[in-house]
Amino acid sequence: MTVSETNLVVTFDLFSALTDSRTGAAALLGRLAAERGWEQDGTALYDRWDRHNKALQRTARPPTTFHDVSREALARAYDELGHPLGLVDDDLALLEESVADWPLWPDAEAALQAVATLAEVGILSNVDDALVRRSRAYQLVDPERVLTSQRLGAYKPAPEIYRSAVTAVAPARLVHVAASARDVRGALEAGIATVRLARPGHLLDPDGPTPTVEVGHGGDLRRVVADLSEG
């Protein structure tokens, strides 16, 4: 079976399924915290920033960019912790630059290469176009199948982004690989076949819909995609 015969596009979430964003961002934030004598370590700073990011993404609508959301989230985190708000813009610039160094999960590259033998492989992510191009994952997927919130005009977990993704890949069929509970739920509620790839720190929503398939390692994805392409 060739890629053209499957008529299938498999998208991956960038910052949970493919990238260990917590480790990557925490390294930069930890360095800044140590230089400034802050009591929080990088992981604590990341977790607070990430909570605000996810909350703001629930209500964000274009023309608000991912950069705008990230800036507001970092400002809220710093304000809560009593850190100077005058540092926010420079720190966010450093964080965005550091995305190029954020590590992929150990199984991600091989998984992408294996799935690419059966389907077109892309990214579906709440991110601006310029930022996704900095990521290590971008070099491993078809750039024509990189579907961002900027391109699609919506943010996860709103159903609009998933419906727009389906339209963007038509007439091919879309399968989405997600790790976070909100991404799994959003894709499923939009009617997309969804593979949940279990990642550390990401739990399934106990009150949400059941993923089409769940796997614990990227090495299982080729088999799953082969099954879905035949189904």
Side-chain angles (χ1 to χ4, degrees):
M1 183 184 295
T2 67
V3 171
S4 61
E5 288 172 339
T6 66
N7 199 33
L8 189 69
V9 175
V10 180
T11 55
F12 289 74
D13 181 69
L14 176 62
F15 286 145
S16 60
L18 294 178
T19 305
D20 183 358
S21 55
R22 190 170 188 246
T23 294
L28 185 279
L29 290 169
R31 178 172 63 79
L32 295 177
E35 290 172 355
R36 296 164 183 168
W38 292 352
E39 64 180 61
Q40 301 85 20
D41 63 14
T43 299
L45 289 169
Y46 171 80
D47 287 345
R48 186 163 306 233
W49 177 48
D50 186 55
R51 283 197 298 273
H52 285 298
N53 257 322
K54 287 184 169 57
L56 289 165
Q57 287 166 19
R58 289 187 173 276
T59 57
R61 296 292 183 273
T64 300
T65 65
F66 184 78
H67 172 86
D68 296 334
V69 171
S70 297
R71 186 196 183 284
E72 177 61 23
L74 194 61
R76 292 186 183 190
Y78 279 15
D79 186 53
E80 288 175 353
L81 296 169
H83 299 325
L85 295 184
L87 297 172
V88 168
D89 287 322
D90 287 346
D91 287 2
L92 181 59
L94 291 172
L95 278 164
E96 290 175 341
E97 290 172 6
S98 76
V99 166
D101 299 321
W102 293 9
L104 297 175
W105 292 106
D107 60 356
E109 183 171 356
L112 287 168
Q113 291 170 343
V115 173
T117 64
L118 298 176
E120 295 179 79
V121 175
I123 289 169
L124 176 57
S125 175
N126 278 358
V127 74
D128 298 333
D129 294 343
L131 194 63
V132 72
R133 287 193 291 269
R134 288 190 180 133
S135 70
R136 294 182 177 184
Y138 182 79
Q139 308 301 322
L140 303 173
V141 302
D142 181 348
E144 296 300 316
R145 297 307 193 184
V146 174
L147 308 176
T148 65
S149 54
Q150 182 177 14
R151 176 179 171 183
L152 299 180
Y155 289 87
K156 300 174 185 177
E160 290 82 5
I161 191 170
Y162 300 101
R163 292 171 186 159
S164 293
V166 170
T167 300
V169 305
R173 186 162 65 98
L174 178 63
V175 172
H176 185 49
V177 179
S180 68
R182 66 175 189 153
D183 198 18
V184 170
R185 184 168 191 158
L188 286 169
E189 290 181 345
I192 297 171
T194 304
V195 179
R196 197 242 170 177
L197 178 55
R199 292 301 194 197
H202 295 280
L203 301 175
L204 194 61
D205 185 350
D207 299 320
T210 302
T212 309
V213 186
E214 181 168 356
V215 298
H217 190 275
D220 298 322
L221 288 173
R222 189 186 188 283
R223 169 184 53 79
V224 168
V225 169
D227 291 343
L228 289 173
S229 67
E230 295 172 359

